[in-house]
Amino acid sequence: MNSREPLRDRPGAPFTLTFDGREIEALPGQTIAAALWTSGVTAWRTTRGSGRARGVFCGIGVCFDCLVTVDGRPGRRACLVPAVPGAEVRTQHGTGHDD
C-alpha cells in the first residue's frame, strides 16, 4: 500500500432506525446524532424548564444537549451512541422520565 494515496474505503450498506416514528437512514459507524443530522433533523430534545429545543452542541459527549431516548432508555447522548439497525429513537422531553 502506498502511504501517499488516499484510502478508498466505503461504508457498509445503509440501514434504518426510527426517530419519533419516522424512518431515518444511517450508515455503519455513524452515531445517532450523525444519522439525524444527515436526515435534516437538528433538534431532538427539549429543556426541562422552558421546553427549548436542543440538538448537538459539543458533539464529543461533554455536554448534555443531545440527549435522546433510545429503545425506551432516556438520557442517551446521541453524539456517542452508535446508530444500529431497528433502533427506536425518540425526542427527549425534559428528563425523559414521566415526571
Side-chain angles (χ1 to χ4, degrees), residues 45-49 51 67 74-75 91-97 99:
R45 176 177 86 89
T46 59
T47 58
R48 282 186 295 219
L67 297 178
T91 296
Q92 182 165 310
H93 299 284
T95 65
H97 298 279
D99 294 333

Side-chain angles (χ1 to χ4, degrees), residues 5-19:
E5 291 185 28
L7 294 176
R8 305 252 185 254
D9 198 16
R10 304 258 188 256
F15 57 86
T16 59
L17 54 91
T18 60
F19 174 69

